[in-house]
Amino acid sequence: MSLQSLIEGWEGETVVVRHDRLCGAWILIAIHSTRLGPAGGGTRMRPYPDVETALRDACHLAESMTAKFALADFPMGGGKSVIMVPGKLDAGAREELLRRYGRLIHQLGGLFYTGPDIGTSPEDMDVVSETGTPYVFARTERAGGSGGSAAPTARGVYWCIRATLEHLFGDDQLGGQHVAVQGAGGVGSLLIRRLVEEGVRVTAADRDPEALAALEELAGVRTVSPEAIYGVVCDVFSPCATGGVLNARTIPRLRCRAVVGAANNQLATPEDALRLREAGILYAPDYAVNAGGAIAVVGIEAKGWTREQAEDRVRRMAHTLRELYHLAEARGITTEEAARRAVQARLAAARAPD
Ligand code: PPY
């Protein structure tokens, strides 16, 4: 698909495209909606096969950010930035690119606020904010930020897993359940630690052997290959790595009662929500589950929330998820459709931008 047809076919508001001649990177910022507030979304940095694929990813992820903030009733719009890098950059070139990127964010003058995502860290946000301030969130605590979004994201997933167990079994007390976690990176590893601390058995997989090795000292964690994680007999499958993992190939292999995870855009296609329901698997819409990081970070850094206030808001996501489960049952629709309707209602109730 060409850039032209991608942009023409997208329902979002604005796309910012910058080719960085100095290092060959492409910076693609997708602003999906500013109806609820300025657009916010992380910065994903990685290679892609081509610019079209990178832009499609940015647009799709930006749309999820709109849904995430709307569902959490947080006054921000949805955007996402993708920096498509031409392979691995050396540390100096990478920092310079991040500074040029910060300058672009600054020039946008508040249209887009950013933070870390796959391929970028709170330390990177410190560098971006040198030129991009005040539009950069989730910097390190050393630099005056709230210290990253992985921990509140993991806590949000944790509360949503409990709400899901309660919905399925009538009891949210942890102990003895089994959760299969796909991805032991920033969010996945924190989630795994919390779950095993509370007596949950965890089976984990990650493409990076080092990430798995770091879990080996934890009692209660078993590791399997990336392919085997789908077939683990468990209560909850928790995708905490990349998107598109729930699809026609993987769903028939799942042996879980529910899917509750942190990854963005878990469904490969909208039909996969139906496929999950037909398989008898309760799906927690990803953007209902993984909003904790964005909400806590922006709340603390831009709204002056205390950490306790942020934690309250993160816990409230589990309540919203329970409501979605009930709505889906009452209406005979998928949980994804229930979430989509809730998002549409929030957006419709807001004043259209001038
Ligand atoms: C996400 O939740 O996927 C994010 O992009 C996180 C985010 C969003 C806005 C500011 C900081 C982090």
Side-chain angles (χ1 to χ4, degrees), residues 6-315:
L6 251 173
I7 294 169
E8 280 177 354
W10 188 50
E11 286 175 357
E13 292 174 10
T14 306
V15 172
V16 177
V17 179
R18 156 85 55 95
H19 178 236
D20 184 84
R21 277 200 180 73
L22 284 170
C23 78
W26 285 80
I27 299 170
L28 306 156
I29 304 176
I31 310 290
H32 178 256
S33 168
T34 55
R35 185 171 270 240
L36 299 178
T43 299
R44 186 166 286 201
M45 193 181 209
R46 48 162 283 198
Y48 284 87
D50 48 58
V51 182
E52 290 76 12
T53 310
L55 180 61
R56 192 176 312 121
D57 206 20
C59 290
H60 194 191
L61 289 161
E63 211 167 319
S64 301
M65 291 306 301
T66 300
K68 197 177 294 194
F69 287 126
L71 196 61
D73 204 11
F74 193 88
M76 256 204 142
K80 202 84 172 193
S81 178
V82 162
I83 305 183
M84 169 177 149
V85 281
K88 200 160 166 50
L89 300 173
D90 71 53
R94 192 169 177 282
E95 278 202 7
E96 284 309 311
L97 170 63
L98 289 174
R99 286 194 189 95
R100 292 193 293 279
Y101 171 60
R103 226 165 272 131
L104 174 61
I105 298 287
H106 190 81
Q107 284 176 320
L108 294 177
L111 176 66
F112 177 66
Y113 285 75
T114 201
D117 194 84
I118 293 174
T120 59
S121 62
E123 287 74 19
D124 291 333
M125 292 306 115
D126 292 352
V127 178
V128 176
S129 78
E130 288 173 24
T131 48
T133 189
Y135 310 118
V136 184
F137 289 126
R139 288 166 300 141
T140 61
E141 290 186 59
R142 196 171 57 245
S146 62
S149 54
T153 303
R155 286 200 296 274
V157 181
Y158 164 83
W159 290 115
C160 287
I161 288 176
R162 285 183 59 159
T164 303
L165 292 171
E166 185 180 25
H167 186 81
L168 286 173
F169 305 116
D171 183 359
D172 85 334
Q173 290 312 302
L174 294 181
Q177 296 92 344
H178 186 183
V179 177
V181 181
Q182 178 182 49
V187 176
S189 60
L190 293 173
L191 175 66
I192 291 167
R193 282 170 198 277
R194 177 86 186 244
L195 290 172
V196 295
E197 265 169 34
E198 304 208 13
V200 174
R201 277 185 302 139
V202 171
T203 302
D206 197 292
R207 299 206 170 278
D208 175 7
E210 276 181 32
L212 278 191
L215 298 175
E216 253 148 35
E217 99 259 13
L218 289 178
V221 181
R222 184 172 73 100
T223 61
V224 294
S225 72
E227 267 309 305
I229 195 75
Y230 294 105
V232 172
V233 179
C234 60
D235 297 300
V236 175
F237 173 58
S238 185
C240 294
T242 51
V245 295
L246 303 172
N247 56 48
R249 186 182 69 84
T250 58
I251 292 170
R253 296 169 58 195
L254 294 177
R255 295 291 174 270
C256 57
R257 295 288 306 276
V259 176
V260 188
N264 279 311
N265 299 348
Q266 293 168 25
L267 301 172
T269 67
E271 296 78 61
D272 292 306
L274 268 178
R275 211 172 260 132
L276 282 165
R277 189 172 68 158
E278 279 158 16
I281 296 170
L282 181 63
Y283 172 60
D286 46 17
Y287 51 79
V289 174
N290 64 16
I295 291 167
V297 158
V298 181
I300 291 170
E301 296 183 23
K303 299 200 174 297
W305 292 357
T306 62
R307 291 200 180 254
E308 290 69 37
Q309 282 172 311
E311 184 62 17
D312 273 357
R313 282 299 287 262
V314 170
R315 277 187 78 157

